[in-house]
Amino acid sequence: MNIMPFNYRLQKFLEIRIRKKEEQLAVVQECQKEVVRIENLIKENNANIQNTRINMRKSDPRMYDGFDKFLKHLYEIGEKLESKRQEALEALRKEEEILREREKEVDVLEKHKEHKKEEYLYEQKMLELKTLNEIGSQKHFMRTREEAAEAEIESLKQARE
């Protein structure tokens, strides 16, 4: 009996969806890197603000005006960086949502593939049982025919005697 290996009809679609999911995962990772990069810039800016305040306290009062302008500039940079961070987080959320959709698409096809494989295995089992039943029927028929032939031979022998 020839048992054909399982062949999923939609395998190409599954592979395409898996590839799209992996591409989207790379996009999400890039967005995460961008968020981390911006957060590091915010930390650097906050450290600059802190250092400028410390230096301002130690400096000559005539330089306060320059320090104030520089601090104002650092605060503006901080606000811009915070705005960029919010934009990057929003982009990350959108890309993560797309990734979740891609994962759902892959999961649906993987479950479908699993279901089809179970159906295929069940059908193969039924074919095997049918073949075994046919073989059993043929053996039974042959055995019955042989027994009938032997019984006929016996009856002929007894009739001659």
Side-chain angles (χ1 to χ4, degrees):
M1 183 167 103
N2 273 346
I3 295 181
M4 300 278 295
F6 175 69
N7 189 14
Y8 185 50
R9 293 180 303 123
L10 302 175
Q11 185 65 34
K12 293 287 184 196
F13 291 106
L14 178 59
E15 290 168 4
I16 289 169
R17 285 187 179 179
I18 289 172
R19 188 170 54 250
K20 283 183 178 180
K21 180 185 93 169
E22 290 169 352
E23 290 169 358
Q24 187 61 31
L25 180 61
V27 170
V28 167
Q29 289 170 342
E30 284 301 315
C31 287
Q32 289 171 336
K33 287 179 186 176
E34 180 63 12
V35 168
V36 168
R37 185 186 72 79
I38 293 171
E39 286 175 346
N40 286 335
L41 290 174
I42 290 173
K43 286 178 187 176
E44 286 177 24
N45 192 57
N46 288 341
N48 284 340
I49 290 172
Q50 192 64 31
N51 290 336
T52 303
R53 283 183 177 168
I54 291 170
N55 291 335
M56 185 177 167
R57 288 185 197 125
K58 295 178 183 176
S59 72
D60 189 333
R62 291 177 284 181
M63 297 180 69
Y64 284 175
D65 189 44
F67 277 109
D68 282 341
K69 288 179 183 177
F70 187 61
L71 280 173
K72 182 180 177 187
H73 172 71
L74 290 177
Y75 284 128
E76 288 172 359
I77 290 173
E79 288 174 8
K80 289 177 184 175
L81 286 174
E82 187 59 37
S83 173
K84 282 185 179 180
R85 184 172 81 87
Q86 290 303 320
E87 290 171 8
L89 285 171
E90 184 59 33
L92 176 61
R93 277 190 284 275
K94 288 178 182 176
E95 296 301 333
E96 285 175 336
E97 183 61 34
I98 293 170
L99 178 61
R100 278 190 289 280
E101 289 299 316
R102 298 282 188 264
E103 288 172 341
K104 284 179 191 176
E105 291 171 357
V106 169
D107 288 345
V108 165
L109 273 184
E110 285 178 340
K111 286 183 195 283
H112 185 260
K113 179 180 180 178
E114 187 177 309
H115 179 69
K116 288 297 180 184
K117 187 171 186 175
E118 287 173 5
E119 282 181 10
Y120 169 80
L121 292 174
Y122 178 77
E123 288 172 8
Q124 290 299 312
K125 194 175 193 178
M126 291 296 109
L127 284 173
E128 188 176 338
L129 286 173
K130 181 180 176 187
T131 304
L132 290 174
N133 279 340
E134 288 173 1
I135 291 171
S137 296
Q138 289 173 357
K139 284 184 178 181
H140 176 71
F141 176 73
M142 290 180 68
R143 195 175 325 117
T144 306
R145 199 169 72 192
E146 286 174 3
E147 289 172 358
E150 286 176 7
E152 189 176 325
I153 291 172
E154 258 327 291
S155 66
L156 287 175
K157 281 183 184 178
Q158 288 176 358
R160 284 190 187 166
E161 294 174 359

